[in-house]
Amino acid sequence: MAEINSVADLSRDGDIAVLTIDSPPVNALSAPVRDGLHHGFEKAVADPEVKAIVLICAGRTFIAGADITEFGGARKGASLFAVQEKMEGSPKPIVAAIHGTALGGGLEVALCAHYRVAVPSARCGLPEVNLGILPGAGGTQRLPRVVGVEKALEMVTTGQHVAASQCLEIGLVDALAEEGKLREGAVAFARKAVAEGWPLKKARDLTDKIAAAKGHPEIFTAFRTTNARKFRGFKAPEYNIRCIEAAVNLPFDEGLKTERTLFAELISGPQSAAQRYYFFAERTASKIPDVPADTPTIAVKQVGIVGAGTMGGGIAMNFANAGIPVKIVEVKQEALDRGLKVVRGNYERSVKSGRFTMDQVDKHMGLISGSLDLASLADCDLVIEAVFERMDIKKDVFAKLDAIVKQGAILATNTSGLNVDEIAGATKRPEAVIGLHFFSPANVMKLLEIVRGAKTRKPVIATSMKLAKTIGKIAVLSGVCPGFIGNRMLRQRGAQTQKMVMEGALPWDIDRVLYDFGFPMGPFAMGDLAGLDIGWVPERSKGETIRDVLCEMGRRGQKTGAGYYDYDENRNAKPSPVTEKVIHDFIVKSGANPRGISDEEILERSIYPMINEGAKILEERIAIRPSDIDVVWVNGYGWPVYRGGPMFYADQLGPERVLAKLRHYQATAGDAFKPAALLEKLVAEGRKFADLNKES
Ligand code: HSC
Ligand code: NAD
């Protein structure tokens, strides 16, 4: 770049100035970009030969927002507000030319242009809410003036990226340019604006779309009520709503003050710290130190799946949705028919919810075929085994696949926790074997644990990571250990919650504490939802556990109207006196005296053993970095993102406090709390888990 600075260039197309920003990867509003904008507009405005100015970006996208890495640091360069004032106050029309995504501060800059032109593939949004903040550069004040209150509320509280065609409909962009010809289109638009003497349209001065909502607080109350469940626990959505309310009820400059005050509060709070951390955690998870980005990958054009049960069907949908043909193999025709029927049923539900059209469903179903013959998988580039969780069956399937599937293909297992190396050992090509641990429901859940065996080749890992992106999953690499990252930690929590029940805590107390912490539901409610009889065999049940007894009584969860809880006909849960008596009898039989357990103890005994296990997982190098563990928990187990993940949470509490509490519980509740060596080491060195993220 030249003319203005290292990231900004000012050129001329006749009497139209074109200010180009080129700051890869996403033209974020770093100090040099703000400087480039400020000086660029200043120069263009001062140039007597310039009649209008087009702002455009090079590379993959328009400005994608503030530079998130700059938050919290010392401010350098021109302020964004100064840039915006310069734009809005320009005596010459400014046209923002949008491609890729105009997000956050990027859209806030575009909202200060007098006109906006976009290519059809472009998208606009204010996703700050997903970082625990709100648009802090006038977005909450200008957007409702441009698109109306209802749409603005939706955009700022969901962070959705709105497609250019819809932006045109709602008035967020003024015209579409031909794909690939944005610069020409925007310059022509600017020239027309000059020739026809169009007014300098300023978003701050518009009132027609907000006038009707003035003095109608019920609009906002209704919006809050409708979305209460979705917003539970999060601070940012409420603050975003308050800003839109201010836009409606206050003069523009007063509204801006409200926005600034609330922005300042959010950005310095713990939720935003957690959500910004998480933004980078998710992106870092795809980086594997010894598998560089240029590692060759295998082309996956045909996928095979063994087993059409709960997981097999869901996994198949992921590939079909991405346009990759899938063959599913079952042992019996009925099982195959049942599996394919479930898949079709899922698709039909998504037609009802508007996610797919019937045509798309037919197309996706057309990509899924079934067979009873493993030999039909011979030509697949990737085969995923999803049969029963039994080592003998898995080994048998892998030995057969080894003999059938072409060399060079990837052989994957969806095991939830069995030893991937042992499974790989059933083949003569353990280097081609990997774990692809999808979560249930596999067509919905975002997380994919990719389990690297001792001999797995790097191209197999690189291909799996890439494929995860293709099918819209967030992948985290794990080493081999029982339960991998997620289930191994979950087991620790499960053991403690069961133990606390035997000491006197009631299931609904534990569920309430974890729900209030931010999980979508507690472990006992979850058990009832999934079915208490999963993996429970009536013939082998000896009434040895509370679950055994509940199942024997026919209390098998929501589906039977009772489990830990009692359920009414609408599946509303109520604490159950029957369960309470079962628990009481168990405690008495064990010779113990039930005691009251405080909410604090419930929380600490649920969460701290998970953190401790996370430390062991790092110690054993099962996970590459603490942030990968956090990505697993946020995406696979409903850990509230505004608490960052268990390892981030440990840092927020302070590793020394976690260690002290573990020692306390080791003394009072047993060796399950014995602190991990890594945690002791971190505390001794005055370091945090976050320091390990930097080292990975
Ligand atoms: C904001 O704008 C606040 C405003 O209201 C201003 C407030 C001012 C207040 C002043 C008060 C005094 N920053 O995702 P990808 C990196 S908040 C820094 O893999 P894609 C990313 O880490 C912001 N870095 O690509 C990655 O780096 P790596 C609102 C950013 O094509 C690389 O770029 N905006 C960054 O899949 C590629 O990213 C957002 O929240 C940023 N803003 O998706 C948008 N954005 O290569 C956030 C990206 O080293 N960004 N990076 O790993 C996105 O949603 C996606 O990145 C895109 C591209 C959709 C833009
Ligand atoms: P499931 O019982 O619903 O389905 C297994 C299917 O495999 C059955 O339809 C069965 O007929 C078929 N099958 C068994 N042996 C076969 C063979 N030799 N060839 C072809 N098909 C065969 O089980 P599921 O819940 O889908 O679990 C499958 C795997 O996924 C297990 O390893 C499980 O641990 C793992 N997993 C399950 C979940 C979950 O929540 N259900 C989550 C993650 C991983």
Side-chain angles (χ1 to χ4, degrees):
M1 287 274 110
E3 183 84 14
I4 302 295
N5 67 10
S6 60
V7 296
D9 176 69
L10 190 65
S11 63
R12 284 265 302 279
D13 189 325
D15 53 4
I16 309 295
V18 179
L19 178 58
T20 307
I21 299 296
D22 187 3
S23 179
V26 295
N27 293 309
L29 289 161
S30 60
V33 170
R34 293 195 303 271
D35 278 341
L37 289 168
H38 197 262
H39 297 315
F41 284 123
E42 198 165 53
K43 201 162 175 188
V45 167
D47 184 340
E49 286 176 25
V50 167
K51 298 278 185 292
I53 308 157
V54 166
L55 167 64
I56 196 165
C57 291
R60 68 215 250 200
T61 181
F62 190 77
I63 302 166
D67 186 336
I68 306 167
T69 58
E70 266 190 3
F71 288 152
R75 296 250 145 220
K76 283 188 251 153
S79 93
L80 188 52
F81 305 123
V83 170
Q84 292 179 304
E85 268 175 37
K86 184 125 270 157
M87 291 176 73
E88 236 171 13
S90 160
K92 303 171 183 179
I94 296 180
V95 177
I98 301 172
H99 77 295
T101 43
L103 299 177
L107 182 58
E108 290 176 296
V109 164
L111 279 165
C112 290
H114 305 106
Y115 295 97
R116 288 163 292 280
V117 172
V119 286
S121 61
R123 283 170 303 142
C124 297
L126 292 176
E128 284 87 343
V129 71
N130 297 324
L131 299 169
I133 53 175
L134 53 84
T140 64
Q141 304 306 299
R142 289 189 181 88
L143 186 70
R145 286 176 160 80
V146 173
V147 305
V149 173
E150 200 184 326
K151 190 67 197 169
L153 277 173
E154 187 188 324
M155 284 178 70
V156 297
T157 56
T158 60
Q160 65 182 213
H161 299 182
V162 180
S165 57
Q166 210 203 338
C167 289
L168 186 65
E169 269 171 40
I170 61 177
L172 189 50
V173 304
D174 301 283
L176 294 185
E178 199 180 319
E179 200 70 54
K181 295 204 172 147
L182 180 59
R183 185 184 160 120
E184 296 91 314
V187 167
F189 184 94
R191 197 157 274 141
K192 196 162 170 210
V194 173
E196 297 183 3
W198 293 356
L200 295 173
K201 214 166 60 172
K202 293 184 196 173
R204 62 183 292 144
D205 295 339
L206 304 174
T207 52
D208 57 324
K209 289 194 176 166
I210 52 173
K214 201 170 173 128
H216 286 288
E218 69 279 7
I219 297 174
F220 299 95
T221 310
F223 186 77
R224 288 182 174 99
T225 310
T226 311
N227 293 289
R229 237 180 112 108
K230 212 166 73 193
F231 298 159
R232 183 178 73 92
F234 288 91
K235 208 164 175 180
E238 169 58 25
Y239 278 37
N240 272 279
I241 297 170
R242 283 188 206 165
C243 285
I244 305 287
E245 244 180 320
V248 168
N249 295 314
L250 300 177
F252 182 81
D253 288 318
E254 289 300 307
L256 265 193
K257 278 190 203 150
T258 302
E259 183 191 91
R260 267 170 220 180
T261 307
L262 296 183
F263 178 86
E265 195 186 318
L266 287 179
I267 197 95
S268 55
Q271 291 205 349
S272 165
Q275 288 179 260
R276 281 179 282 135
Y277 156 84
Y278 186 76
F279 175 85
F280 290 109
E282 220 172 71
R283 283 159 178 81
T284 308
S286 61
K287 299 184 172 95
I288 304 165
D290 70 331
V291 183
D294 59 358
T295 305
T297 54
I298 299 156
V300 175
K301 299 200 177 113
Q302 168 74 53
V303 172
I305 293 175
V306 190
T310 312
M311 296 308 289
I315 295 170
M317 290 174 77
N318 288 298
F319 291 100
N321 295 349
I324 303 174
V326 194
K327 272 186 204 155
I328 311 187
V329 173
E330 257 292 348
V331 270
K332 289 205 189 100
Q333 189 64 44
E334 306 94 86
L336 185 59
D337 292 345
R338 196 180 51 231
L340 291 174
K341 198 168 147 216
V342 171
V343 170
R344 182 164 270 287
N346 282 340
Y347 272 132
E348 279 164 1
R349 264 194 302 282
S350 49
V351 171
K352 282 200 192 108
S353 72
R355 190 172 159 227
F356 289 129
T357 63
M358 207 55 215
D359 272 1
Q360 281 172 312
V361 168
D362 289 340
K363 208 165 109 205
H364 294 158
M365 279 308 289
L367 288 171
I368 302 177
S369 57
S371 165
L372 298 179
D373 185 7
L374 266 189
S376 67
L377 303 182
D379 286 332
C380 290
D381 307 296
L382 162 70
V383 177
I384 304 173
E385 163 279 310
V387 304
F388 303 129
E389 185 78 339
R390 273 182 42 192
M391 184 54 89
D392 54 341
I393 304 183
K394 303 239 186 233
K395 278 182 163 172
D396 178 56
V397 168
F398 270 79
K400 286 182 179 142
L401 288 175
D402 191 23
I404 290 169
V405 182
K406 69 178 182 191
Q407 290 299 319
I410 299 176
L411 303 181
T413 170
N414 181 48
T415 176
S416 320
L418 294 178
N419 189 321
V420 173
D421 289 329
E422 199 178 332
I423 295 172
T427 72
K428 289 190 204 69
R429 42 174 144 160
E431 69 286 352
V433 176
I434 196 160
L436 293 182
H437 183 207
F438 288 83
F439 285 67
S440 181
N443 54 319
V444 177
M445 294 292 287
K446 282 278 191 201
L447 180 65
L448 179 66
E449 272 185 326
I450 296 185
V451 187
R452 170 185 202 161
K455 296 191 177 152
T456 311
R457 275 177 68 227
K458 290 179 186 179
V460 172
I461 299 169
T463 305
S464 301
M465 296 302 289
K466 187 171 153 200
L467 203 56
K469 269 206 181 128
T470 309
I471 61 172
K473 299 288 175 202
I474 293 160
V476 173
L477 192 72
S478 171
V480 175
C481 69
F484 315 129
I485 298 172
N487 283 343
R488 175 168 161 181
M489 288 166 70
L490 181 67
R491 209 164 287 155
Q492 294 301 321
R493 188 182 84 177
Q496 285 308 312
T497 51
Q498 292 294 342
K499 201 154 177 271
M500 283 190 279
V501 167
M502 288 300 289
E503 291 173 29
L506 289 166
W508 27 96
D509 292 332
I510 295 174
D511 280 353
R512 175 181 45 78
V513 168
L514 290 172
Y515 179 81
D516 288 347
F517 181 78
F519 283 101
M521 62 175 75
F524 297 97
M526 186 68 191
D528 275 0
L529 178 66
L532 294 185
D533 54 353
I534 287 188
W536 176 78
V537 185
E539 302 74 40
R540 280 194 250 141
S541 179
K542 294 196 191 115
E544 278 170 351
T545 63
I546 293 164
R547 181 183 82 149
D548 277 354
V549 174
L550 293 177
C551 284
E552 283 167 17
M553 293 167 87
R555 300 179 65 94
R556 297 187 183 176
Q558 281 196 18
K559 60 185 174 189
T560 58
Y564 286 106
Y565 294 83
D566 290 334
Y567 294 89
D568 66 16
E569 58 286 0
N570 296 320
R571 294 204 170 195
N572 294 314
K574 260 197 339 259
S576 165
V578 179
T579 303
E580 202 168 329
K581 170 136 192 350
V582 170
I583 293 170
H584 186 80
D585 291 349
F586 258 93
I587 299 178
V588 170
K589 212 165 82 189
S590 75
N593 281 323
R595 66 180 174 100
I597 298 189
S598 69
D599 288 359
E600 188 188 9
E601 181 174 343
I602 290 176
L603 186 65
E604 291 176 349
R605 283 181 61 185
S606 301
I607 305 287
Y608 288 29
M610 287 171 47
I611 296 171
N612 200 35
E613 199 64 23
K616 291 181 193 167
I617 283 170
L618 289 166
E619 215 167 271
E620 295 166 27
R621 302 196 179 279
I622 297 296
I624 297 172
R625 48 182 89 83
S627 62
D628 285 3
I629 296 179
D630 290 337
V631 173
V632 165
W633 270 82
V634 169
N635 276 297
Y637 299 84
W639 181 284
V641 64
Y642 57 79
R643 293 189 198 274
M647 310 320 282
F648 180 84
Y649 181 66
D651 276 355
Q652 276 195 330
L653 292 170
E656 58 294 332
R657 174 174 160 175
V658 177
L659 179 61
K661 285 285 184 179
L662 284 170
R663 286 188 178 138
H664 162 77
Y665 286 118
Q666 187 184 5
T668 57
D671 262 351
F673 290 90
K674 187 173 182 309
L678 177 68
L679 180 61
E680 292 192 322
K681 186 166 175 273
L682 284 180
V683 172
E685 293 169 355
R687 300 201 309 155
K688 293 185 161 216
F689 286 109
D691 295 315
L692 305 177
N693 286 327
K694 291 179 204 134
E695 286 166 15
S696 70

